[in-house]
Each structure stands twice: as structure tokens, then as C-alpha cells.
Amino acid sequence: MADNGKTPVDFWFDPLCPWAWITSRWVLEVEKVRDIEVRWHVMSLAVLNEDKLDEVPAEYREMLETKAWAPVRVVVAAQQEHGDEVVGKLYTALGTRFHNKGEGPTLTAIREALEDVGLPVSLAQYADQDTYDTQLRASHHEGITKVGQEVGTPVIAVPGADGEQIAFFGPVVTPTPRGEAAARLWDGTLLVASTPGFYEIKRTRTQGPSFE
């Protein structure tokens, strides 16, 4: 339990991932209907896949090599220089431009997202710099260690049966559940987290991400 009495929920994201974006909008919806507080953390698809680039499809490999580093580096730079409280706000600005507006992870979109939340546009200089890569990797490692290397983003950590956090990949859902539907999915997430030995529910995705 956090000092303010709310249930802490830790959420690891890569701004590039459309599925993580949808899940993040769900957990913000849950904040409206359940007494929780989301704490935002960066994980990196580039770091996750850096030792297996030869195993991923060529198009995905190109994305990882050319687009995946810039957004997470800028978010971590903003966190290091302006505090944890800017992470969620900047993620919202980036995701809105990348996904909802269809601008993609361009340097222009990153600069304008920084402006959207009142952060210095100069932070965009870190897009191609490794200045804070140690901190980026530490944040990534913290999240991925909770769930294992076989998953991606998002990772969410919620209270389990004994009060200790249980982490999962997902939930992967589209479009974003709203209102009572968001609450039901949250309650179900807590239910499986409180079940000893529970690991996975999964089915093949039959539709792409919807940003409605």
C-alpha cells in the first residue's frame, strides 16, 4: 500500500509498442474506478532483442535497429533530469502522437511531445546518445526480471495473495476497456494474481491494435 492509501501498480512500457499503449490507457481508466496509483517505468524492445536480432523477421529487426532506441532514451533522460513524475505524462504525449495521431516515432513527434508536456525540447538530443543507457537498462532489467525473457511489453506488477507483487506480461487487449469493463478486467487481473502457481492465459490475436 502506498503512503496515500492507494494500491501501487507498476507498469513497464516501451513507447513504440502499440499493445503496451492500449494497456496503459486501460490502467489509467482503472485509476478512475479503483483505488490504485500507477507507477511508470521504461523497458526496451531494443534491449530485449539485442542478442537475438538474427532470429527476428527482417522488418522487425530494422525497426529495432533504427527506431526503438530514440523514444526510450528520451523518456529516461527526462526522468533523470526532471523526476519520476514526468514519465507518465511524457509517455501519454508520445503515445498519442505515435499511435493515435499516426505520426510514428519520428524525431519531430518526440520534440513536439516534449513541448506538449512542458519539457525542454533539448531532451530530444538524447535520442541518439547513450548517456543514460545504464539507467535505461536497469529499469528494463527490473521489469523483465519479474516475468522472464520470453515476454515483451507491457509488464504490469500488481498485488498478489500475500501482498507481494506478482508481475505479468499484458493484459493484451484491444480496444481499451472503459468504465465498468476496465474495472472487471482489473478485478480479474487481481484474481489470477492471487492464485498460487498461476502463470499464463493466452490465445492467438485475430485483430490488430485499435486506438479508439
Side-chain angles (χ1 to χ4, degrees):
M1 193 73 67
D3 292 340
N4 58 10
K6 294 186 177 183
T7 299
V9 180
D10 289 288
F11 192 103
W12 281 264
F13 66 92
D14 186 316
L16 206 60
C17 178
W19 296 103
W21 172 245
I22 293 171
T23 305
S24 73
R25 299 310 92 181
W26 161 71
V27 81
L28 285 179
E29 192 75 7
V30 175
E31 275 195 326
K32 302 175 185 177
V33 294
R34 294 291 186 267
D35 205 19
I36 71 167
E37 180 178 60
V38 184
R39 302 185 297 201
W40 302 99
H41 311 272
V42 166
M43 65 179 295
S44 168
L45 292 172
V47 173
L48 183 67
N49 291 282
E50 64 184 349
D51 293 330
K52 47 188 175 184
L53 288 176
D54 292 340
E55 303 172 16
V56 302
E59 184 177 354
Y60 189 58
R61 180 169 64 249
E62 181 183 6
M63 183 276 293
L64 292 172
E65 293 176 334
T66 62
K67 299 178 180 179
W69 283 102
V72 289
R73 280 175 165 166
V74 172
V75 174
V76 171
Q79 179 187 35
Q80 294 300 309
E81 297 188 8
H82 296 274
D84 292 342
E85 64 274 10
V86 306
V87 176
K89 297 175 183 178
L90 182 54
Y91 179 31
T92 290
L94 289 168
T96 299
R97 290 188 173 276
F98 290 1
H99 306 298
N100 293 78
K101 295 184 178 181
E103 297 177 12
T106 66
L107 194 56
T108 297
I110 292 172
R111 289 192 181 108
E112 291 180 349
L114 289 165
E115 287 184 332
D116 290 341
V117 294
L119 287 169
V121 177
S122 59
L123 287 167
Q125 69 181 306
Y126 293 105
D128 60 357
Q129 298 180 18
D130 62 1
T131 308
Y132 295 113
D133 278 11
T134 298
Q135 291 86 343
L136 188 162
R137 289 176 180 277
S139 179
H140 172 88
H141 181 73
E142 180 186 11
I144 208 68
T145 297
K146 294 177 181 293
V147 288
Q149 294 290 332
E150 296 81 14
V151 302
T153 178
V155 169
I156 185 171
V158 303
D162 58 1
E164 295 294 322
Q165 280 195 323
I166 301 295
F168 297 110
F169 163 62
V172 175
V173 61
T174 190
T176 301
R178 304 288 182 182
E180 186 56 30
R184 287 196 302 269
L185 180 56
W186 169 253
D187 294 342
T189 301
L190 291 184
L191 178 62
V192 296
S194 66
T195 303
F198 175 85
Y199 289 101
E200 184 175 9
I201 292 176
K202 189 172 184 179
R203 65 173 178 162
T204 300
R205 300 174 198 171
T206 57
Q207 63 183 106
S210 169
F211 308 121
E212 297 175 11

mmCIF file of all heavy atoms in Angstrom, residues 16-17 21 26 42-43 49 53 68 80 94 99 115 133 148 150 163 172 175 181 208 211:
data_model
loop_
_atom_site.group_PDB
_atom_site.id
_atom_site.type_symbol
_atom_site.label_atom_id
_atom_site.label_comp_id
_atom_site.label_asym_id
_atom_site.label_seq_id
_atom_site.Cartn_x
_atom_site.Cartn_y
_atom_site.Cartn_z
ATOM 1 N N LEU A 16 7.133 2.611 -28.140
ATOM 2 C CA LEU A 16 6.970 2.178 -29.521
ATOM 3 C C LEU A 16 5.865 1.133 -29.685
ATOM 4 O O LEU A 16 5.295 0.989 -30.766
ATOM 5 C CB LEU A 16 8.296 1.589 -30.016
ATOM 6 C CG LEU A 16 8.596 1.625 -31.511
ATOM 7 C CD1 LEU A 16 8.608 3.058 -32.015
ATOM 8 C CD2 LEU A 16 9.925 0.955 -31.788
ATOM 9 N N CYS A 17 5.547 0.405 -28.632
ATOM 10 C CA CYS A 17 4.658 -0.755 -28.734
ATOM 11 C C CYS A 17 3.185 -0.336 -28.696
ATOM 12 O O CYS A 17 2.719 0.209 -27.687
ATOM 13 C CB CYS A 17 4.941 -1.727 -27.594
ATOM 14 S SG CYS A 17 3.852 -3.176 -27.613
ATOM 15 N N TRP A 21 0.648 0.495 -25.379
ATOM 16 C CA TRP A 21 -0.077 1.760 -25.342
ATOM 17 C C TRP A 21 -1.548 1.533 -24.968
ATOM 18 O O TRP A 21 -2.093 2.217 -24.099
ATOM 19 C CB TRP A 21 0.033 2.447 -26.693
ATOM 20 C CG TRP A 21 -0.817 3.668 -26.843
ATOM 21 C CD1 TRP A 21 -1.871 3.848 -27.698
ATOM 22 C CD2 TRP A 21 -0.690 4.905 -26.130
ATOM 23 N NE1 TRP A 21 -2.413 5.099 -27.559
ATOM 24 C CE2 TRP A 21 -1.706 5.780 -26.596
ATOM 25 C CE3 TRP A 21 0.165 5.349 -25.128
ATOM 26 C CZ2 TRP A 21 -1.877 7.068 -26.108
ATOM 27 C CZ3 TRP A 21 0.003 6.645 -24.629
ATOM 28 C CH2 TRP A 21 -1.008 7.488 -25.122
ATOM 29 N N TRP A 26 -5.809 1.487 -20.571
ATOM 30 C CA TRP A 26 -6.704 0.719 -19.697
ATOM 31 C C TRP A 26 -6.373 0.960 -18.230
ATOM 32 O O TRP A 26 -7.273 1.217 -17.411
ATOM 33 C CB TRP A 26 -6.615 -0.769 -20.012
ATOM 34 C CG TRP A 26 -7.119 -1.648 -18.909
ATOM 35 C CD1 TRP A 26 -8.421 -1.805 -18.515
ATOM 36 C CD2 TRP A 26 -6.334 -2.463 -18.019
ATOM 37 N NE1 TRP A 26 -8.491 -2.675 -17.441
ATOM 38 C CE2 TRP A 26 -7.226 -3.093 -17.122
ATOM 39 C CE3 TRP A 26 -4.976 -2.721 -17.921
ATOM 40 C CZ2 TRP A 26 -6.792 -3.964 -16.128
ATOM 41 C CZ3 TRP A 26 -4.530 -3.590 -16.928
ATOM 42 C CH2 TRP A 26 -5.434 -4.203 -16.049
ATOM 43 N N VAL A 42 10.305 2.435 -17.701
ATOM 44 C CA VAL A 42 10.690 2.124 -19.080
ATOM 45 C C VAL A 42 11.246 0.713 -19.169
ATOM 46 O O VAL A 42 12.004 0.265 -18.306
ATOM 47 C CB VAL A 42 11.743 3.136 -19.580
ATOM 48 C CG1 VAL A 42 12.409 2.640 -20.861
ATOM 49 C CG2 VAL A 42 11.108 4.488 -19.824
ATOM 50 N N MET A 43 10.828 -0.006 -20.211
ATOM 51 C CA MET A 43 11.553 -1.181 -20.656
ATOM 52 C C MET A 43 11.834 -0.973 -22.138
ATOM 53 O O MET A 43 11.282 -0.050 -22.754
ATOM 54 C CB MET A 43 10.794 -2.477 -20.394
ATOM 55 C CG MET A 43 9.501 -2.660 -21.145
ATOM 56 S SD MET A 43 8.706 -4.255 -20.783
ATOM 57 C CE MET A 43 9.901 -5.411 -21.468
ATOM 58 N N ASN A 49 15.719 -7.523 -27.354
ATOM 59 C CA ASN A 49 16.018 -8.324 -28.550
ATOM 60 C C ASN A 49 17.443 -8.182 -29.064
ATOM 61 O O ASN A 49 17.771 -8.746 -30.113
ATOM 62 C CB ASN A 49 15.056 -7.932 -29.676
ATOM 63 C CG ASN A 49 13.633 -8.360 -29.401
ATOM 64 O OD1 ASN A 49 13.273 -9.513 -29.548
ATOM 65 N ND2 ASN A 49 12.807 -7.396 -28.983
ATOM 66 N N LEU A 53 18.803 -10.620 -32.668
ATOM 67 C CA LEU A 53 18.384 -9.907 -33.873
ATOM 68 C C LEU A 53 18.359 -10.812 -35.091
ATOM 69 O O LEU A 53 17.560 -10.613 -36.016
ATOM 70 C CB LEU A 53 19.296 -8.703 -34.114
ATOM 71 C CG LEU A 53 19.130 -7.517 -33.148
ATOM 72 C CD1 LEU A 53 20.156 -6.439 -33.446
ATOM 73 C CD2 LEU A 53 17.726 -6.950 -33.227
ATOM 74 N N ALA A 68 13.815 2.033 -32.343
ATOM 75 C CA ALA A 68 13.441 1.637 -30.982
ATOM 76 C C ALA A 68 14.214 2.364 -29.884
ATOM 77 O O ALA A 68 13.703 2.517 -28.767
ATOM 78 C CB ALA A 68 13.608 0.125 -30.817
ATOM 79 N N GLN A 80 15.588 11.233 -15.557
ATOM 80 C CA GLN A 80 16.806 11.514 -14.812
ATOM 81 C C GLN A 80 16.981 13.001 -14.525
ATOM 82 O O GLN A 80 17.488 13.380 -13.471
ATOM 83 C CB GLN A 80 18.023 10.987 -15.596
ATOM 84 C CG GLN A 80 18.083 9.481 -15.728
ATOM 85 C CD GLN A 80 18.151 8.785 -14.378
ATOM 86 O OE1 GLN A 80 18.986 9.126 -13.538
ATOM 87 N NE2 GLN A 80 17.280 7.806 -14.173
ATOM 88 N N LEU A 94 3.854 11.050 -26.012
ATOM 89 C CA LEU A 94 4.498 10.271 -27.083
ATOM 90 C C LEU A 94 3.521 9.291 -27.715
ATOM 91 O O LEU A 94 3.409 9.206 -28.945
ATOM 92 C CB LEU A 94 5.705 9.510 -26.523
ATOM 93 C CG LEU A 94 6.932 10.335 -26.137
ATOM 94 C CD1 LEU A 94 7.905 9.479 -25.332
ATOM 95 C CD2 LEU A 94 7.621 10.911 -27.364
ATOM 96 N N HIS A 99 0.803 6.768 -31.916
ATOM 97 C CA HIS A 99 -0.245 5.787 -32.205
ATOM 98 C C HIS A 99 -1.577 6.427 -32.607
ATOM 99 O O HIS A 99 -2.068 6.188 -33.709
ATOM 100 C CB HIS A 99 -0.426 4.871 -30.995
ATOM 101 C CG HIS A 99 0.842 4.218 -30.551
ATOM 102 N ND1 HIS A 99 1.562 3.363 -31.358
ATOM 103 C CD2 HIS A 99 1.552 4.315 -29.391
ATOM 104 C CE1 HIS A 99 2.645 2.950 -30.718
ATOM 105 N NE2 HIS A 99 2.663 3.509 -29.524
ATOM 106 N N GLU A 115 7.310 19.231 -25.976
ATOM 107 C CA GLU A 115 6.642 20.527 -25.867
ATOM 108 C C GLU A 115 5.255 20.383 -25.255
ATOM 109 O O GLU A 115 4.819 21.223 -24.452
ATOM 110 C CB GLU A 115 6.528 21.175 -27.249
ATOM 111 C CG GLU A 115 7.844 21.699 -27.804
ATOM 112 C CD GLU A 115 7.651 22.421 -29.128
ATOM 113 O OE1 GLU A 115 6.682 22.086 -29.856
ATOM 114 O OE2 GLU A 115 8.457 23.316 -29.430
ATOM 115 N N ASP A 133 21.980 5.214 -20.851
ATOM 116 C CA ASP A 133 21.681 3.815 -21.169
ATOM 117 C C ASP A 133 21.822 2.897 -19.960
ATOM 118 O O ASP A 133 21.133 1.873 -19.862
ATOM 119 C CB ASP A 133 22.572 3.317 -22.310
ATOM 120 C CG ASP A 133 22.033 3.719 -23.683
ATOM 121 O OD1 ASP A 133 21.095 4.542 -23.741
ATOM 122 O OD2 ASP A 133 22.561 3.217 -24.701
ATOM 123 N N GLY A 148 10.517 -12.798 -16.808
ATOM 124 C CA GLY A 148 11.301 -13.694 -17.650
ATOM 125 C C GLY A 148 11.500 -13.145 -19.050
ATOM 126 O O GLY A 148 10.784 -12.254 -19.505
ATOM 127 N N GLU A 150 10.968 -14.412 -21.969
ATOM 128 C CA GLU A 150 10.135 -14.902 -23.071
ATOM 129 C C GLU A 150 8.986 -13.962 -23.402
ATOM 130 O O GLU A 150 8.149 -14.274 -24.243
ATOM 131 C CB GLU A 150 9.556 -16.289 -22.736
ATOM 132 C CG GLU A 150 10.600 -17.384 -22.578
ATOM 133 C CD GLU A 150 11.255 -17.379 -21.197
ATOM 134 O OE1 GLU A 150 10.711 -16.707 -20.290
ATOM 135 O OE2 GLU A 150 12.304 -18.019 -21.051
ATOM 136 N N GLY A 163 0.138 -10.034 -0.550
ATOM 137 C CA GLY A 163 0.548 -8.633 -0.548
ATOM 138 C C GLY A 163 1.777 -8.357 -1.378
ATOM 139 O O GLY A 163 2.057 -7.216 -1.729
ATOM 140 N N VAL A 172 -3.007 -8.103 -22.767
ATOM 141 C CA VAL A 172 -3.050 -7.625 -24.151
ATOM 142 C C VAL A 172 -4.507 -7.599 -24.585
ATOM 143 O O VAL A 172 -5.179 -8.635 -24.572
ATOM 144 C CB VAL A 172 -2.215 -8.541 -25.067
ATOM 145 C CG1 VAL A 172 -2.364 -8.113 -26.523
ATOM 146 C CG2 VAL A 172 -0.751 -8.517 -24.641
ATOM 147 N N PRO A 175 -10.132 -2.965 -28.293
ATOM 148 C CA PRO A 175 -9.608 -1.651 -27.914
ATOM 149 C C PRO A 175 -9.540 -1.512 -26.400
ATOM 150 O O PRO A 175 -9.825 -2.469 -25.674
ATOM 151 C CB PRO A 175 -10.641 -0.692 -28.524
ATOM 152 C CG PRO A 175 -11.918 -1.464 -28.502
ATOM 153 C CD PRO A 175 -11.517 -2.892 -28.789
ATOM 154 N N ALA A 181 -16.140 -2.023 -17.723
ATOM 155 C CA ALA A 181 -15.373 -3.071 -18.403
ATOM 156 C C ALA A 181 -13.912 -3.033 -17.969
ATOM 157 O O ALA A 181 -13.277 -4.079 -17.774
ATOM 158 C CB ALA A 181 -15.479 -2.907 -19.919
ATOM 159 N N GLY A 208 -5.658 -6.491 -35.180
ATOM 160 C CA GLY A 208 -4.587 -5.596 -34.796
ATOM 161 C C GLY A 208 -5.025 -4.612 -33.741
ATOM 162 O O GLY A 208 -6.200 -4.560 -33.361
ATOM 163 N N PHE A 211 -6.994 1.950 -31.663
ATOM 164 C CA PHE A 211 -6.761 3.084 -30.771
ATOM 165 C C PHE A 211 -8.016 3.918 -30.556
ATOM 166 O O PHE A 211 -7.942 5.123 -30.355
ATOM 167 C CB PHE A 211 -5.626 3.953 -31.316
ATOM 168 C CG PHE A 211 -4.382 3.181 -31.633
ATOM 169 C CD1 PHE A 211 -3.847 3.173 -32.906
ATOM 170 C CD2 PHE A 211 -3.771 2.427 -30.652
ATOM 171 C CE1 PHE A 211 -2.704 2.460 -33.198
ATOM 172 C CE2 PHE A 211 -2.622 1.691 -30.923
ATOM 173 C CZ PHE A 211 -2.086 1.717 -32.200
#
